[in-house]
Amino acid sequence: MRIGIYPGSFDPLTLGHLDIIERARNICDKLIIAAALNISKKPLFSIEERLEMIRHSCTSMNNIEIVTFNGLLADFCKERNVNFIAKGIRNRMDIDYEYAVSIMNRKLAPETETIFLLSRSEHSFISSSMVKEVASYGGDITSVVPQFVKQKLIEKFSS
Ligand code: PNS
């Protein structure tokens, strides 16, 4: 069985993430969507809220597993016998950064490949941080996040 993993902060999930999930799950038997517990920036959403948004947006997908992980992604990949890590690439900055990360991950987990999926052009500008900033000022984020996520952002910033 070919296992892929799509790791991220998902704070919150965007349509860009969903597109990568759809495409990555089509090239493996099982795709693990792994939300990191230890992220550098303080998240807006708790891990439970981030998982809820992923679950809600992926209900129709049958070959996925949604989990959290702590510590090194490479260790988690070895533990779960992951064949490949899927990363979405939006621009040159992503390439530079993800290139270095993939080399380090290969050193740490030589059995796990990293594959890069190029974002669709209409998603190439979307980032969770931009979505949060726009939502915090009451801007319309309908075209960049799932409806459920939009609702959660509105609730978060109105409370
Ligand atoms: O959505 P993000 O914030 O770009 O996701 C980054 C993430 C969580 C995939 C990355 O920071 C990660 O893999 N963290 C786990 C710790 C780790 O393995 N770091 C070493 C990378 S060289």
Side-chain angles (χ1 to χ4, degrees):
M1 173 148 109
R2 183 149 293 274
I3 302 175
I5 190 167
Y6 182 45
S9 307
F10 305 113
D11 183 42
L13 180 86
T14 68
L15 291 183
H17 291 131
L18 262 188
D19 178 51
I20 301 293
I21 291 172
E22 272 297 355
R23 288 157 59 197
R25 82 185 184 91
N26 279 335
I27 51 172
C28 58
D29 299 300
K30 181 164 83 175
L31 181 71
I32 302 174
I33 304 169
L37 287 169
N38 53 336
I39 55 180
S40 46
K41 281 178 279 176
K42 189 183 166 349
L44 174 66
F45 291 102
S46 69
I47 189 63
E48 289 74 22
E49 291 172 314
R50 286 184 273 145
L51 291 175
E52 186 194 17
M53 288 184 276
I54 302 170
R55 276 194 212 105
H56 198 276
S57 309
C58 298
T59 41
S60 59
M61 302 178 193
N62 52 14
N63 64 334
I64 57 159
E65 183 186 348
I66 302 163
V67 302
T68 60
F69 76 103
N70 214 347
L72 286 175
L73 176 63
D75 288 340
F76 187 67
C77 289
K78 284 196 279 193
E79 204 177 292
R80 298 292 306 264
N81 291 317
V82 169
N83 300 98
F84 71 83
I85 301 167
K87 290 287 182 88
I89 297 290
R90 293 165 299 185
N91 50 44
R92 287 204 172 161
M93 277 183 334
D94 279 354
I95 294 182
D96 287 350
Y97 179 71
E98 295 298 348
Y99 174 72
V101 172
S102 71
I103 292 173
M104 181 51 84
N105 280 334
R106 187 157 61 211
K107 285 187 191 300
L108 297 167
E111 307 299 318
T112 307
E113 280 292 346
T114 296
I115 63 159
F116 295 139
L117 297 170
L118 296 185
S119 293
R120 289 182 197 285
S121 53
E122 64 267 35
H123 294 147
S124 63
F125 70 98
I126 308 176
S127 68
S128 296
S129 3
M130 191 195 275
V131 164
K132 283 181 281 193
E133 178 157 349
V134 173
S136 73
Y137 292 111
D140 186 10
I141 40 154
T142 311
S143 62
V144 291
V145 292
Q147 183 61 30
F148 184 76
V149 174
K150 176 182 165 184
Q151 212 44 52
K152 293 285 160 191
L153 279 160
I154 291 171
E155 282 166 23
K156 185 67 84 177
F157 287 114
S158 61
S159 61

